[in-house]
Amino acid sequence: MPRAERERQMIQVAEQVFAERGYVTASMDEIADRVGVSKPMLYEYFNSKEGLLLACIAQSRSELREVTEQAVLGATAAEEALRRGLHAFFLYIRDHRQAWSLLRHEMALIGTTASDEIEATRRQQTDLIAKLMANYFDEGSPLRVEAAAEFVVGACERLAIWCERHEEVTPERATNYAMDILWEGLRGRVR
């Protein structure tokens, strides 16, 4: 199997094990067994269990950025761009529950490089939203745009956590809930 394909396979299995067991109790032995490789091979690819976790988080961050960027392409109005971006986020959360689990369970990872990687994911989304807002909104200052983007990211993260407890809430419904609150505050700032 080509190295890149094997690496993706290892990351996929590790994501499952980390989501099922939690990072602390997940074992490299179990991950290696499920992948069908030796434990030394995992270490050869990722150097450590934390390195494997970081690879999982980096992959999730990359995928999340890709889906949100693609979702807003071609949007012609601020409301449409916001709705598309939110919907892409909530779809990603639903369709990638294991990846989302890794991103949101950072309390067990405090003090590790992984907590920095999770914060980098938030920062990535904040930067993406701030860039989008700067194109549509008259916020007056870059600091104000960044503050609004941080609010959107924080609110959506909490709403996504709430959605986990309410499986009947579809990505479309979560998007509508978020738009009801967020768009009300942003509508008057459209250029």
PDB file of all heavy atoms in Angstrom, residues 80-95:
ATOM      1  N   GLU A  80     -26.417  35.025   2.521  1.00  0.00           N
ATOM      2  CA  GLU A  80     -26.218  33.760   1.826  1.00  0.00           C
ATOM      3  C   GLU A  80     -24.874  33.133   2.207  1.00  0.00           C
ATOM      4  O   GLU A  80     -24.787  31.932   2.456  1.00  0.00           O
ATOM      5  CB  GLU A  80     -26.275  33.986   0.309  1.00  0.00           C
ATOM      6  CG  GLU A  80     -26.022  32.741  -0.499  1.00  0.00           C
ATOM      7  CD  GLU A  80     -25.897  33.015  -1.992  1.00  0.00           C
ATOM      8  OE1 GLU A  80     -25.771  34.195  -2.409  1.00  0.00           O
ATOM      9  OE2 GLU A  80     -25.915  32.021  -2.742  1.00  0.00           O
ATOM     10  N   ALA A  81     -23.833  33.949   2.262  1.00  0.00           N
ATOM     11  CA  ALA A  81     -22.496  33.440   2.616  1.00  0.00           C
ATOM     12  C   ALA A  81     -22.485  32.887   4.036  1.00  0.00           C
ATOM     13  O   ALA A  81     -21.946  31.805   4.285  1.00  0.00           O
ATOM     14  CB  ALA A  81     -21.453  34.546   2.458  1.00  0.00           C
ATOM     15  N   LEU A  82     -23.095  33.618   4.965  1.00  0.00           N
ATOM     16  CA  LEU A  82     -23.141  33.168   6.348  1.00  0.00           C
ATOM     17  C   LEU A  82     -23.931  31.863   6.457  1.00  0.00           C
ATOM     18  O   LEU A  82     -23.487  30.902   7.082  1.00  0.00           O
ATOM     19  CB  LEU A  82     -23.747  34.246   7.251  1.00  0.00           C
ATOM     20  CG  LEU A  82     -23.809  33.918   8.739  1.00  0.00           C
ATOM     21  CD1 LEU A  82     -22.409  33.672   9.320  1.00  0.00           C
ATOM     22  CD2 LEU A  82     -24.510  35.049   9.501  1.00  0.00           C
ATOM     23  N   ARG A  83     -25.080  31.820   5.826  1.00  0.00           N
ATOM     24  CA  ARG A  83     -25.919  30.616   5.877  1.00  0.00           C
ATOM     25  C   ARG A  83     -25.179  29.417   5.284  1.00  0.00           C
ATOM     26  O   ARG A  83     -25.165  28.338   5.861  1.00  0.00           O
ATOM     27  CB  ARG A  83     -27.241  30.843   5.154  1.00  0.00           C
ATOM     28  CG  ARG A  83     -28.174  29.626   5.194  1.00  0.00           C
ATOM     29  CD  ARG A  83     -29.532  29.913   4.571  1.00  0.00           C
ATOM     30  NE  ARG A  83     -30.268  30.933   5.284  1.00  0.00           N
ATOM     31  CZ  ARG A  83     -30.946  30.744   6.423  1.00  0.00           C
ATOM     32  NH1 ARG A  83     -30.960  29.546   6.984  1.00  0.00           N
ATOM     33  NH2 ARG A  83     -31.602  31.731   6.995  1.00  0.00           N
ATOM     34  N   ARG A  84     -24.555  29.599   4.152  1.00  0.00           N
ATOM     35  CA  ARG A  84     -23.820  28.494   3.516  1.00  0.00           C
ATOM     36  C   ARG A  84     -22.662  28.008   4.402  1.00  0.00           C
ATOM     37  O   ARG A  84     -22.431  26.807   4.520  1.00  0.00           O
ATOM     38  CB  ARG A  84     -23.250  28.936   2.174  1.00  0.00           C
ATOM     39  CG  ARG A  84     -24.245  29.039   1.065  1.00  0.00           C
ATOM     40  CD  ARG A  84     -23.488  29.468  -0.168  1.00  0.00           C
ATOM     41  NE  ARG A  84     -24.287  29.554  -1.357  1.00  0.00           N
ATOM     42  CZ  ARG A  84     -23.758  29.731  -2.561  1.00  0.00           C
ATOM     43  NH1 ARG A  84     -22.449  29.843  -2.726  1.00  0.00           N
ATOM     44  NH2 ARG A  84     -24.529  29.807  -3.616  1.00  0.00           N
ATOM     45  N   GLY A  85     -21.922  28.951   4.967  1.00  0.00           N
ATOM     46  CA  GLY A  85     -20.799  28.581   5.831  1.00  0.00           C
ATOM     47  C   GLY A  85     -21.253  27.839   7.082  1.00  0.00           C
ATOM     48  O   GLY A  85     -20.661  26.827   7.463  1.00  0.00           O
ATOM     49  N   LEU A  86     -22.322  28.326   7.702  1.00  0.00           N
ATOM     50  CA  LEU A  86     -22.864  27.665   8.889  1.00  0.00           C
ATOM     51  C   LEU A  86     -23.367  26.269   8.547  1.00  0.00           C
ATOM     52  O   LEU A  86     -23.103  25.302   9.277  1.00  0.00           O
ATOM     53  CB  LEU A  86     -24.002  28.492   9.499  1.00  0.00           C
ATOM     54  CG  LEU A  86     -23.611  29.822  10.130  1.00  0.00           C
ATOM     55  CD1 LEU A  86     -24.861  30.600  10.511  1.00  0.00           C
ATOM     56  CD2 LEU A  86     -22.711  29.618  11.335  1.00  0.00           C
ATOM     57  N   HIS A  87     -24.070  26.158   7.447  1.00  0.00           N
ATOM     58  CA  HIS A  87     -24.608  24.859   7.047  1.00  0.00           C
ATOM     59  C   HIS A  87     -23.467  23.873   6.791  1.00  0.00           C
ATOM     60  O   HIS A  87     -23.537  22.711   7.218  1.00  0.00           O
ATOM     61  CB  HIS A  87     -25.505  25.009   5.825  1.00  0.00           C
ATOM     62  CG  HIS A  87     -26.248  23.763   5.497  1.00  0.00           C
ATOM     63  ND1 HIS A  87     -26.011  23.043   4.358  1.00  0.00           N
ATOM     64  CD2 HIS A  87     -27.203  23.069   6.187  1.00  0.00           C
ATOM     65  CE1 HIS A  87     -26.795  21.985   4.340  1.00  0.00           C
ATOM     66  NE2 HIS A  87     -27.522  21.969   5.441  1.00  0.00           N
ATOM     67  N   ALA A  88     -22.416  24.320   6.136  1.00  0.00           N
ATOM     68  CA  ALA A  88     -21.258  23.453   5.886  1.00  0.00           C
ATOM     69  C   ALA A  88     -20.641  22.987   7.201  1.00  0.00           C
ATOM     70  O   ALA A  88     -20.267  21.813   7.347  1.00  0.00           O
ATOM     71  CB  ALA A  88     -20.216  24.184   5.043  1.00  0.00           C
ATOM     72  N   PHE A  89     -20.545  23.875   8.173  1.00  0.00           N
ATOM     73  CA  PHE A  89     -20.002  23.516   9.487  1.00  0.00           C
ATOM     74  C   PHE A  89     -20.864  22.454  10.155  1.00  0.00           C
ATOM     75  O   PHE A  89     -20.358  21.424  10.606  1.00  0.00           O
ATOM     76  CB  PHE A  89     -19.904  24.759  10.377  1.00  0.00           C
ATOM     77  CG  PHE A  89     -19.568  24.456  11.808  1.00  0.00           C
ATOM     78  CD1 PHE A  89     -18.275  24.110  12.168  1.00  0.00           C
ATOM     79  CD2 PHE A  89     -20.539  24.511  12.794  1.00  0.00           C
ATOM     80  CE1 PHE A  89     -17.955  23.824  13.494  1.00  0.00           C
ATOM     81  CE2 PHE A  89     -20.231  24.226  14.113  1.00  0.00           C
ATOM     82  CZ  PHE A  89     -18.938  23.884  14.464  1.00  0.00           C
ATOM     83  N   PHE A  90     -22.166  22.676  10.198  1.00  0.00           N
ATOM     84  CA  PHE A  90     -23.052  21.718  10.873  1.00  0.00           C
ATOM     85  C   PHE A  90     -23.131  20.382  10.129  1.00  0.00           C
ATOM     86  O   PHE A  90     -23.253  19.331  10.761  1.00  0.00           O
ATOM     87  CB  PHE A  90     -24.433  22.322  11.123  1.00  0.00           C
ATOM     88  CG  PHE A  90     -24.418  23.396  12.176  1.00  0.00           C
ATOM     89  CD1 PHE A  90     -24.712  24.708  11.863  1.00  0.00           C
ATOM     90  CD2 PHE A  90     -24.073  23.099  13.487  1.00  0.00           C
ATOM     91  CE1 PHE A  90     -24.677  25.711  12.833  1.00  0.00           C
ATOM     92  CE2 PHE A  90     -24.029  24.089  14.469  1.00  0.00           C
ATOM     93  CZ  PHE A  90     -24.332  25.399  14.137  1.00  0.00           C
ATOM     94  N   LEU A  91     -23.039  20.412   8.811  1.00  0.00           N
ATOM     95  CA  LEU A  91     -22.955  19.160   8.045  1.00  0.00           C
ATOM     96  C   LEU A  91     -21.666  18.412   8.382  1.00  0.00           C
ATOM     97  O   LEU A  91     -21.679  17.195   8.567  1.00  0.00           O
ATOM     98  CB  LEU A  91     -22.991  19.433   6.544  1.00  0.00           C
ATOM     99  CG  LEU A  91     -24.342  19.643   5.907  1.00  0.00           C
ATOM    100  CD1 LEU A  91     -24.182  20.098   4.453  1.00  0.00           C
ATOM    101  CD2 LEU A  91     -25.197  18.390   5.980  1.00  0.00           C
ATOM    102  N   TYR A  92     -20.570  19.147   8.460  1.00  0.00           N
ATOM    103  CA  TYR A  92     -19.285  18.524   8.786  1.00  0.00           C
ATOM    104  C   TYR A  92     -19.367  17.855  10.164  1.00  0.00           C
ATOM    105  O   TYR A  92     -18.942  16.714  10.331  1.00  0.00           O
ATOM    106  CB  TYR A  92     -18.154  19.556   8.769  1.00  0.00           C
ATOM    107  CG  TYR A  92     -16.823  18.941   9.111  1.00  0.00           C
ATOM    108  CD1 TYR A  92     -16.061  18.322   8.134  1.00  0.00           C
ATOM    109  CD2 TYR A  92     -16.344  18.946  10.421  1.00  0.00           C
ATOM    110  CE1 TYR A  92     -14.850  17.722   8.446  1.00  0.00           C
ATOM    111  CE2 TYR A  92     -15.138  18.355  10.741  1.00  0.00           C
ATOM    112  CZ  TYR A  92     -14.397  17.742   9.750  1.00  0.00           C
ATOM    113  OH  TYR A  92     -13.212  17.137  10.075  1.00  0.00           O
ATOM    114  N   ILE A  93     -19.927  18.552  11.121  1.00  0.00           N
ATOM    115  CA  ILE A  93     -20.051  18.015  12.480  1.00  0.00           C
ATOM    116  C   ILE A  93     -20.881  16.726  12.460  1.00  0.00           C
ATOM    117  O   ILE A  93     -20.522  15.739  13.091  1.00  0.00           O
ATOM    118  CB  ILE A  93     -20.690  19.049  13.424  1.00  0.00           C
ATOM    119  CG1 ILE A  93     -19.809  20.293  13.540  1.00  0.00           C
ATOM    120  CG2 ILE A  93     -20.982  18.452  14.789  1.00  0.00           C
ATOM    121  CD1 ILE A  93     -18.383  20.045  13.909  1.00  0.00           C
ATOM    122  N   ARG A  94     -21.985  16.734  11.731  1.00  0.00           N
ATOM    123  CA  ARG A  94     -22.819  15.531  11.658  1.00  0.00           C
ATOM    124  C   ARG A  94     -22.110  14.381  10.947  1.00  0.00           C
ATOM    125  O   ARG A  94     -22.143  13.242  11.394  1.00  0.00           O
ATOM    126  CB  ARG A  94     -24.131  15.837  10.935  1.00  0.00           C
ATOM    127  CG  ARG A  94     -25.069  14.612  10.931  1.00  0.00           C
ATOM    128  CD  ARG A  94     -26.125  14.651   9.869  1.00  0.00           C
ATOM    129  NE  ARG A  94     -25.504  14.656   8.546  1.00  0.00           N
ATOM    130  CZ  ARG A  94     -26.149  15.035   7.442  1.00  0.00           C
ATOM    131  NH1 ARG A  94     -27.392  15.424   7.498  1.00  0.00           N
ATOM    132  NH2 ARG A  94     -25.538  15.030   6.270  1.00  0.00           N
ATOM    133  N   ASP A  95     -21.474  14.687   9.838  1.00  0.00           N
ATOM    134  CA  ASP A  95     -20.877  13.643   9.010  1.00  0.00           C
ATOM    135  C   ASP A  95     -19.514  13.165   9.508  1.00  0.00           C
ATOM    136  O   ASP A  95     -19.023  12.136   9.060  1.00  0.00           O
ATOM    137  CB  ASP A  95     -20.745  14.121   7.563  1.00  0.00           C
ATOM    138  CG  ASP A  95     -22.095  14.352   6.902  1.00  0.00           C
ATOM    139  OD1 ASP A  95     -23.116  13.850   7.431  1.00  0.00           O
ATOM    140  OD2 ASP A  95     -22.131  15.035   5.866  1.00  0.00           O
TER     141      ASP A  95
END
